[in-house]
Amino acid sequence: MEATADLSIITLITRASIVVQIVLAILVIFSLASWTVIFQKWFQISKARTEAKNFDKRFWGGADLNQLYETASDNRSTIGPMEGIFYSGMTEFLRSRSRPDSANGSFTLIDSIARAMRARFQRELDGLESGLSLLATIGSVSPYIGLFGTVWGIMDAFTGLGNLESASLAVVAPGIAEALVATAIGLFAAIPAVIGYNRFAYSIDRLSIQYESFMQEFQNILSRQN
């Protein structure tokens, strides 16, 4: 009796054609890259969310602005995005008030503060969004790369049937199974990347709204003080 063909994943990969193996290697690299970005973004966004909550509590808890500014200045290399926006705005406020032409009007002062905070906000937002484009790319192209490997593998399997006098399901099944592994790994790489991208994009959007609200409120506070 003829031995049953070994259809384990490892065997299918090792027996696949060189093109399918290259496709599988690319997809594995994509998967590792996406999971690396997913974990990095998860820690980064969680840290930014916690920092925003803590700073918001300190800011609205009656703390003196100068005291908050001194704390931010002493730790400016490690402060979070919201505290960094506060630091940039307060720095511009103190610098502008010390200028001889600061009496020209509060509009110019508040406008310069808004620009300083907006520039810091954009830098912080760029940092939070870094890596999302990679997740979007992996989520978009991985299924197609896997499909290419599947199509190539099936073509290779059916081409090999031309050299056989008789064909059966037992003969063609291993070749098709090898090809379908590429589609499976393509989906394995794409699905976490798409889920991660959508989740992180939503979280960053919520943080962006929170930062913009803080900038407007802080700008109003400085306007009244001026």
Side-chain angles (χ1 to χ4, degrees):
M1 182 179 293
E2 192 175 324
T4 304
D6 185 3
L7 297 180
S8 64
I9 297 295
I10 300 300
T11 303
L12 292 175
I13 293 174
T14 55
R15 290 181 179 176
S17 65
I18 186 64
V19 174
V20 176
Q21 288 181 346
I22 292 173
V23 167
L24 294 177
I26 292 172
L27 292 173
V28 169
I29 293 172
F30 278 6
S31 180
L32 292 175
S34 69
W35 279 108
T36 300
V37 173
I38 286 171
F39 282 115
Q40 287 178 344
K41 290 289 103 180
W42 185 81
F43 283 114
Q44 184 183 18
I45 293 174
S46 298
K47 182 179 178 182
R49 190 184 295 117
T50 302
E51 180 275 333
K53 181 180 179 180
N54 293 337
F55 181 75
D56 192 67
K57 186 183 298 184
R58 285 190 292 134
F59 184 84
W60 297 109
D64 181 69
L65 291 181
N66 291 323
Q67 189 176 28
L68 286 174
Y69 178 72
E70 289 178 5
T71 302
S73 181
D74 292 338
N75 304 283
R76 58 182 176 273
S77 60
T78 58
I79 57 178
M82 182 177 283
E83 193 169 1
I85 292 170
F86 163 80
Y87 174 77
S88 296
M90 196 68 182
T91 299
E92 184 62 27
F93 176 72
L94 296 175
R95 183 185 298 121
S96 298
R97 291 191 66 179
S98 63
R99 294 172 184 166
D101 59 348
S102 60
N104 289 340
S106 61
F107 178 79
T108 303
L109 173 61
I110 297 303
D111 189 53
S112 63
I113 293 170
R115 287 197 303 269
M117 288 194 295
R118 177 61 60 176
R120 182 62 179 259
F121 164 79
Q122 194 58 55
R123 289 198 301 272
E124 298 291 353
L125 196 62
D126 289 343
L128 290 173
E129 291 178 342
S130 64
L132 291 189
S133 60
L134 179 61
L135 289 181
T137 301
I138 291 175
S140 299
V141 305
S142 291
Y144 295 103
I145 295 177
L147 182 61
F148 169 77
T150 296
V151 171
W152 187 279
I154 292 176
M155 288 172 55
D156 190 54
F158 279 103
T159 301
L161 293 178
N163 300 324
L164 300 177
E165 295 181 359
S166 62
S168 65
L169 183 61
V171 174
V172 75
I176 295 177
E178 292 168 8
L180 291 176
V181 169
T183 296
I185 296 183
L187 294 175
F188 179 78
I191 292 173
V194 172
I195 294 174
Y197 174 84
N198 290 332
R199 179 59 186 171
F200 296 144
Y202 172 78
S203 298
I204 292 171
D205 184 61
R206 300 301 302 171
L207 284 172
S208 174
I209 294 173
Q210 187 177 2
Y211 295 160
E212 288 183 327
S213 298
F214 170 76
M215 286 192 297
Q216 186 61 48
E217 292 166 349
F218 183 46
Q219 184 176 323
N220 292 337
I221 291 173
L222 294 181
S223 179
R224 289 194 297 269
Q225 286 200 359
N226 186 55

